[in-house]
Amino acid sequence: MHVEKNVRTPTLSLLIKIFKRWIVTMIIVIASLISLSPVILRLYGDVILTKMFFQTWSRYYPWIDLTKPDAFQLNAVNVYEQTDSNVKVGIWYILPSTVAIDHSLPTLADHLKQYIKSTDFPIIIYLHGQDGTRATHYRSNHYRVMSAFGNHIITLDYRGYGDSTGTPSVHGFIHDVIHVFNVIRQVCPENPITLWGHSMGTGVALWTMRTLLQNNPPLKQPSGLVLEAPFYNTVEALVSYPITRVLKMNPYFMQAALDSLAAVKINFPNNEIISLLPLPIIIIHSEDDAIIPYHHVQLIEDYISIHRDKNFPAIRFITVPRSANCGHNHIYSYPKFEELVSTIFTKISLSIAGLYILVSLILPIILIVHPTSIGHIVFLNFLKPGINFTQPEKFGLDRVFNFYLNVEPTVRVGVWHYRSPLVEDQSYTTDQDYFQKHFASQPSTIPIIIYFHGNAFDRSLFTRRGICEKLRKELKYDVFTFDYRGYGDSTGEPTEEGLIKDARYVYDWIHNITNGQRKIYIWGQSLGSAVACQLAARLSDDESKTLAGIVMEAPFINIHQALQTHYLALLFRWQPWYYGLTEKALAKSKLAFHTRGHLSNLNCPCVLLHSDDDYTIPYAHSKQLLQAGLTARDHNKKEKKLFHFTIDMVSFHSKGYGHSLIYQEPKLIPALKSLNMSDKNESRSSPSSSASNGPNV
């Protein structure tokens, strides 16, 4: 007799019960996470946000062998580069399928020498996003598509990603990419190189390009930049991140998140950097991108329409329609992708060549017909963002007060006061009430720094905000910064004498409102160092207005020498008209900014700051100024005059700070305190105490 075996199966009611419990559990978990997220961020925000932005823990295929790119059907080789003493990054060099690879070659440079046979071969440096590795499947598909029509592609895992060693950081990523770029450029000095960034890689690409344009002129710069799925800036990326959209239901979440973001120092100001780059840029974004929504590219377009110089090459925006279903990671699958890429490189090359020829023809004519137009090149004050300076808090600044000073009947300068951490906030009704409560009545033990910025833009530039914040926070001083006439929202037109008048007026106003009871230091960067030096020289003749000290960051010998050694001058310096026409134009415009000459008239401690990879104003300028200062010091000793003049120099070697990022050096303030930039070191203000070089950093 056959007996059918009874098989127990879950009933429908049991399945529904399990499903309901699962739903309730998920609701409880999500609700708890939303409720507790501000508290968690206050306690562990630095760790959480760092892990969120740098998802080094995320590897889709942790079992794969990154040393074998052929497993991904790529005609490629795996190599490594030692970018730092403790950092080795993994690199894939992907070649067109028609090229036979010699896997016995050990380094990237060896492979480049083997396969790059012509200066026409285009090279792409691909910078990936925040998660996975160089081997993530959609990236491999991307490489195959781009290499299919002749491109040589070099992609790397930043430090901490994949099998690359080291700890992830924004500065570290930039350092790694620049190292790889330099390796390529040493072997391929003329080949067109394009930086292609995706997602977080767009921020890395922009920072890298900005740093290269400022600090790496001996090598030919990249020919262009492609930004695939870029984000507006770090804050906007955080706000629109999918997880954040859910957690924002808690009204206290965003403030905790933004406070934590400020602490972790992850800064990708993409919108600001895009507006500063004078080269062809292509932006590609998909309408159905759920990770970095399409509105980011719309925000970028709105920002650059106001802030980007109209004379810069136009930015091309390419929108991938929602119907293509490409999302955040699969734009390479768009049917028109190959056509887009080939068009991009053609337009970039033609734009650069045409722009150079045009400028070479027009610039000498302009200098002959209108020599005073060189003032626009020196000051660059026409680069105005057209923003509202009256609300510094909109720039992420806390405890900063905006006000204006009338220097002349037609000249009003805008000023920001960064309040010292030692000053308590009080309510006020008028500007005078503010100054009395927050400044004039404060203890004389709180020194003051007046910061003079360089040319172009205004007091709101992110690097200028960075140095003022650092000085206020770490020195606990009051910090003032202002826009010269013609800059920002200050009225008037800039001239050399006009800038000095503005500087003197601000100094006198601060000195008078404090009754001369507080020590005042001045800090000038680039063009601002020349303004600060002239001001300090004039104050030396006024015994009632003693200056406590001067810091000159990235100073130059004089303005003509600065124009001769600027990295952009390499394009024109070989042309016979350049030296003579610029010299005559500067003379007719009454522009000298003779820092070396004024240095010998100082009667206060002086510190020079310079990075050896600064090619906007090369490091040699500070070395010559140091020698001139030492000669002046010895002369003063013999003549028994200017007893308070000392000169020191702090050098930054192989740090990647270039022209405007010295403020990011962690040891900057300790180095200054060891010299003359500290209250307790005033005893060093004598000729016998001067150092000749200062500490190297």
Side-chain angles (χ1 to χ4, degrees):
M1 181 172 66
H2 175 72
V3 178
E4 185 175 345
K5 187 177 181 179
N6 184 25
V7 181
R8 295 183 63 185
T9 59
T11 63
L12 181 60
S13 61
L14 180 60
L15 289 174
I16 293 174
K17 190 175 183 180
I18 293 172
F19 180 72
K20 285 182 177 179
R21 288 184 177 179
W22 182 83
I23 291 293
V24 171
T25 302
M26 291 302 297
I27 291 173
I28 293 173
V29 170
I30 293 172
S32 300
L33 185 60
I34 293 173
S35 301
L36 296 174
S37 57
V39 178
I40 295 172
L41 280 175
R42 295 293 182 190
L43 294 174
Y44 308 107
D46 54 344
V47 176
I48 292 171
L49 289 182
T50 300
K51 294 295 184 182
M52 182 188 296
F53 275 95
F54 305 139
Q55 296 179 16
T56 54
W57 45 269
S58 172
R59 295 184 60 179
Y60 294 128
Y61 309 121
W63 56 84
I64 68 166
D65 186 352
L66 290 169
T67 65
K68 297 180 179 178
D70 55 333
F72 290 82
Q73 301 177 338
L74 294 171
N75 188 42
V77 63
N78 181 78
V79 292
Y80 296 93
E81 279 291 330
Q82 193 80 28
T83 62
D84 226 332
S85 58
N86 60 341
V87 177
K88 181 181 72 172
V89 300
I91 300 170
W92 280 1
Y93 177 14
I94 302 105
L95 295 98
S97 57
T98 55
V99 179
I101 295 178
D102 181 358
H103 290 274
S104 65
L105 299 175
T107 68
L108 176 61
D110 291 328
H111 284 280
L112 290 167
K113 291 174 184 175
Q114 179 76 9
Y115 311 126
I116 302 295
K117 303 296 186 183
S118 168
T119 58
D120 297 331
F121 286 6
I123 300 172
I124 298 173
I125 300 178
Y126 182 83
L127 306 174
H128 67 64
Q130 67 184 141
D131 61 357
T133 69
R134 61 190 184 276
T136 302
H137 65 284
Y138 59 82
R139 290 170 189 152
S140 299
N141 295 337
H142 200 295
Y143 310 147
R144 279 197 295 274
V145 172
M146 289 199 296
S147 63
F149 44 95
N151 291 302
H152 292 241
I153 303 162
I154 293 170
T155 184
L156 68 147
D157 277 325
Y158 320 110
R159 57 183 65 194
Y161 280 81
D163 56 355
S164 297
T165 59
T167 302
S169 69
V170 176
H171 177 73
F173 292 173
I174 298 166
H175 180 81
D176 296 340
V177 178
I178 289 177
H179 176 95
V180 173
F181 172 83
N182 287 337
V183 170
I184 300 170
R185 192 49 92 201
Q186 294 291 348
V187 180
C188 311
E190 297 299 329
N191 290 74
I193 297 177
T194 299
L195 296 187
W196 187 304
H198 172 247
S199 191
M200 183 189 78
T202 62
V204 178
L206 284 165
W207 261 127
T208 301
M209 186 68 81
R210 174 70 171 154
T211 307
L212 284 173
L213 289 176
Q214 286 185 324
N215 309 322
N216 213 18
L219 303 177
K220 185 178 180 180
Q221 302 301 331
S223 55
L225 183 65
V226 179
L227 306 176
E228 180 185 351
F231 54 96
Y232 183 71
N233 58 30
T234 313
V235 173
E236 188 63 31
L238 176 65
V239 169
S240 60
Y241 201 68
I243 296 175
T244 306
R245 293 175 218 165
V246 177
L247 298 178
K248 279 195 299 184
M249 295 172 64
N250 186 327
Y252 301 102
F253 168 77
M254 278 312 303
Q255 187 57 53
L258 293 175
D259 289 345
S260 299
L261 183 63
V264 297
K265 297 180 181 179
I266 299 174
N267 185 27
F268 288 111
N270 292 356
N271 58 310
E272 297 184 30
I273 299 178
I274 289 173
S275 67
L276 299 174
L277 298 180
L279 77 167
I281 301 175
I282 310 294
I283 294 178
I284 308 174
H285 213 116
S286 180
E287 289 181 326
D288 63 338
D289 191 331
I291 305 299
I292 299 177
Y294 184 73
H295 78 264
H296 279 258
V297 77
Q298 295 172 321
L299 290 173
I300 291 172
E301 191 168 12
D302 291 341
Y303 184 90
I304 64 175
S305 67
I306 299 173
H307 297 79
R308 186 173 167 86
D309 185 352
K310 307 304 181 187
N311 297 317
F312 288 175
I315 295 177
R316 185 184 180 195
F317 293 88
I318 299 173
T319 299
V320 177
R322 188 178 300 275
S323 58
N325 296 317
C326 292
H328 184 63
N329 296 320
H330 301 282
I331 287 178
Y332 67 86
S333 64
Y334 184 44
K336 296 182 180 180
F337 184 74
E338 286 194 25
E339 177 185 339
L340 290 176
V341 173
S342 59
T343 303
I344 284 171
F345 295 123
T346 301
K347 289 193 173 183
I348 285 175
S349 300
L350 291 175
S351 297
I352 291 176
L355 183 63
Y356 177 70
I357 293 171
L358 185 64
V359 173
S360 296
L361 293 173
I362 292 178
L363 187 57
I365 297 174
I366 292 175
L367 290 178
I368 293 171
V369 178
H370 298 291
T372 55
S373 63
I374 200 168
H376 296 297
I377 298 174
V378 171
F379 295 119
L380 294 178
N381 63 302
F382 57 85
L383 297 176
K384 291 188 177 184
I387 54 182
N388 184 1
F389 295 91
T390 62
Q391 297 177 305
E393 60 275 10
K394 290 190 175 181
F395 296 90
L397 297 173
D398 183 36
R399 306 181 76 247
V400 176
F401 181 70
N402 178 80
F403 64 99
Y404 298 92
L405 295 174
N406 293 315
V407 180
E408 296 174 358
T410 58
V411 177
R412 185 191 72 164
V413 298
V415 189
W416 277 357
H417 172 215
Y418 291 72
R419 292 195 291 280
S420 165
L422 303 177
V423 175
E424 294 184 4
D425 289 338
Q426 302 180 52
S427 60
Y428 59 91
T429 55
T430 64
D431 285 5
Q432 291 304 318
D433 189 26
Y434 169 86
F435 297 132
Q436 181 60 37
K437 291 179 177 178
H438 295 87
F439 186 58
S441 63
Q442 295 305 315
S444 60
T445 54
I446 303 177
I448 300 162
I449 293 179
I450 307 175
Y451 179 77
F452 304 108
H453 67 65
N455 67 348
F457 298 102
D458 48 68
R459 61 191 184 274
S460 73
L461 201 64
F462 61 94
T463 53
R464 294 164 189 170
R465 301 196 309 263
I467 181 61
C468 291
E469 286 275 32
K470 188 183 187 79
L471 294 174
R472 168 175 67 171
K473 180 180 178 181
E474 297 191 23
L475 285 174
K476 303 188 186 306
Y477 290 5
D478 272 310
V479 179
F480 287 83
T481 186
F482 68 98
D483 282 323
Y484 320 107
R485 59 185 68 195
Y487 287 82
D489 58 350
S490 297
T491 59
E493 289 297 325
T495 62
E496 180 172 355
E497 185 59 30
L499 267 59
I500 308 306
K501 283 184 179 179
D502 297 341
R504 180 63 187 260
Y505 190 92
V506 172
Y507 180 90
D508 287 345
W509 180 86
I510 294 172
H511 185 274
N512 294 337
I513 201 172
T514 58
N515 295 316
Q517 298 302 306
R518 292 171 66 177
K519 293 177 180 176
I520 302 177
Y521 297 88
I522 58 177
W523 184 306
Q525 195 268 343
S526 192
L527 180 69
S529 68
V531 176
C533 189
Q534 286 202 52
L535 173 63
R538 296 187 184 189
L539 291 173
S540 297
D541 296 329
D542 189 343
E543 294 183 0
S544 66
K545 305 238 176 120
T546 305
L547 187 64
I550 176 174
V551 176
M552 293 194 286
E553 178 187 350
F556 50 81
I557 298 166
N558 58 56
I559 194 62
H560 192 227
Q561 286 294 313
L563 288 180
Q564 295 302 310
T565 56
H566 193 282
Y567 65 91
L568 290 178
L570 294 174
L571 299 172
F572 307 104
R573 199 166 60 193
W574 62 273
Q575 299 185 24
W577 56 266
Y578 185 78
Y579 185 92
L581 287 184
T582 54
E583 185 178 39
K584 290 178 181 178
L586 289 170
K588 287 190 176 182
S589 303
K590 297 181 180 179
L591 295 174
F593 289 108
H594 203 321
T595 304
R596 183 162 58 186
H598 295 293
L599 189 66
S600 61
N601 295 319
L602 301 189
N603 193 26
C604 65
C606 173
V607 178
L608 309 176
L609 304 178
H610 222 125
S611 177
D612 66 353
D613 58 356
D614 184 344
Y615 295 103
T616 301
I617 298 175
Y619 181 68
H621 281 261
S622 277
K623 290 178 68 177
Q624 291 190 43
L625 288 174
L626 176 64
Q627 291 303 316
L630 292 173
T631 301
R633 181 201 64 181
D634 295 339
H635 177 73
N636 293 340
K637 259 186 180 181
K638 293 178 181 178
E639 297 295 323
K640 296 182 179 181
K641 64 177 184 177
L642 303 176
F643 296 109
H644 298 292
F645 175 65
T646 63
I647 187 162
D648 298 274
M649 180 172 174
V650 183
S651 302
F652 301 87
H653 297 292
S654 304
K655 293 282 189 173
Y657 294 142
H659 184 60
S660 56
L661 298 178
I662 286 176
Y663 75 94
Q664 294 184 349
E665 168 56 46
K667 298 178 182 178
L668 174 61
I669 301 304
L672 292 176
K673 285 183 175 180
S674 70
L675 298 172
N676 299 307
M677 205 48 196
S678 175
D679 237 8
K680 58 191 176 186
N681 286 305
E682 292 303 312
S683 61
R684 299 185 75 255
S685 298
S686 65
S688 60
S689 65
S690 175
S692 61
N693 287 307
N696 289 324
V697 177

